[in-house]
Amino acid sequence: MDLVAPDRAYLDGYLDALRREWSPTTTDPGYWRAELARVSADPDLALAQFNERDGGGRTITLPDGTEVARIPGVVRWLWDGEFCGAINARWQPGTPDLPPHVLGHIGYSVVPWKQRRGYATEALRQMLDIVRTEGLPYVEITTQPDNIGSQRVIEANGGVSLGEFVEPEQYGGHLGVKYRIDLA
């Protein structure tokens, strides 16, 4: 399994996963609907936006409908000859701090039909190599207390639990678990 930059060569697999109601974000399971409409409406624009590392001066809409500035980041798709999922990293230049509405530096989601193959663990390992080039001393990643699989993925990549926290209201105010991975 490799990480690939979003590209026309892999787009049909991404669209197929969305049509199968897979969501590239775990904070909004219904996000696939809006994402399918956005990418289908203008695939070239969507691919360009996936590959913008600087935030593109655009906004994003949080699950509660709030619009906020998009921060710099990188999106990669998991590929084993077929589309397997997505991973993204985001950061603010010059600081490991994140805005209050950003739950963590890295988020990932593997399509259900490719889970339990070690893909998330390998994707996170590869993404950490990409993020190291940004000069961050560490990344923080959050997950749900009952998502043991995600906790194992993070721990397999050196993650240390910082404990539980309450997610911001934009995400429903649920209990989460925060991890830190040192990049030094």
Side-chain angles (χ1 to χ4, degrees):
M1 191 284 309
D2 292 309
L3 296 186
V4 297
D7 185 87
R8 274 267 182 203
Y10 314 111
L11 186 59
D12 287 343
Y14 182 68
L15 290 170
D16 178 62
L18 294 171
R19 286 185 196 103
R20 292 168 76 172
E21 300 183 10
W22 165 80
S23 185
T25 177
T26 58
T27 58
D28 184 0
Y31 178 78
W32 66 269
R33 288 181 187 90
E35 180 68 350
L36 180 59
R38 179 185 80 86
V39 176
S40 296
D42 193 338
D44 293 325
L45 176 61
L47 288 168
Q49 290 172 339
F50 280 129
N51 289 299
E52 289 172 345
R53 291 180 66 97
D54 65 357
R58 295 183 300 117
T59 61
I60 59 169
T61 304
L62 301 179
D64 71 349
T66 304
E67 286 201 18
V68 296
R70 185 175 181 263
I71 64 173
V74 62
V75 174
R76 292 292 181 263
W77 289 343
L78 287 64
W79 188 261
D80 71 353
E82 298 178 328
F83 182 83
C84 304
I87 187 167
N88 66 73
R90 53 231 167 224
W91 59 85
Q92 295 191 107
T95 179
D97 296 334
L98 292 169
H101 65 273
V102 179
L103 296 181
H105 290 96
I106 298 175
Y108 51 85
S109 179
V110 176
V111 295
W113 53 95
K114 295 281 186 171
Q115 292 178 354
R116 293 177 181 68
R117 299 181 188 195
Y119 287 178
T121 301
E122 178 60 18
L124 180 54
R125 185 193 68 72
Q126 290 183 40
M127 183 57 81
L128 291 172
D129 289 340
I130 293 169
V131 172
R132 277 186 183 91
T133 66
E134 297 301 322
L136 295 173
Y138 61 84
V139 293
E140 291 180 346
I141 304 173
T142 63
T143 188
Q144 301 302 311
D146 63 347
N147 192 339
I148 304 305
S150 186
Q151 292 172 31
R152 288 184 179 146
V153 165
I154 298 165
E155 291 167 358
N157 279 282
V160 176
S161 177
L162 299 177
E164 294 182 337
F165 73 103
V166 177
E167 295 176 346
E169 286 302 316
Q170 299 100 314
Y171 296 98
H174 305 288
L175 196 61
V177 180
K178 185 177 286 191
Y179 283 83
R180 179 174 288 178
I181 299 175
D182 288 323
L183 298 177

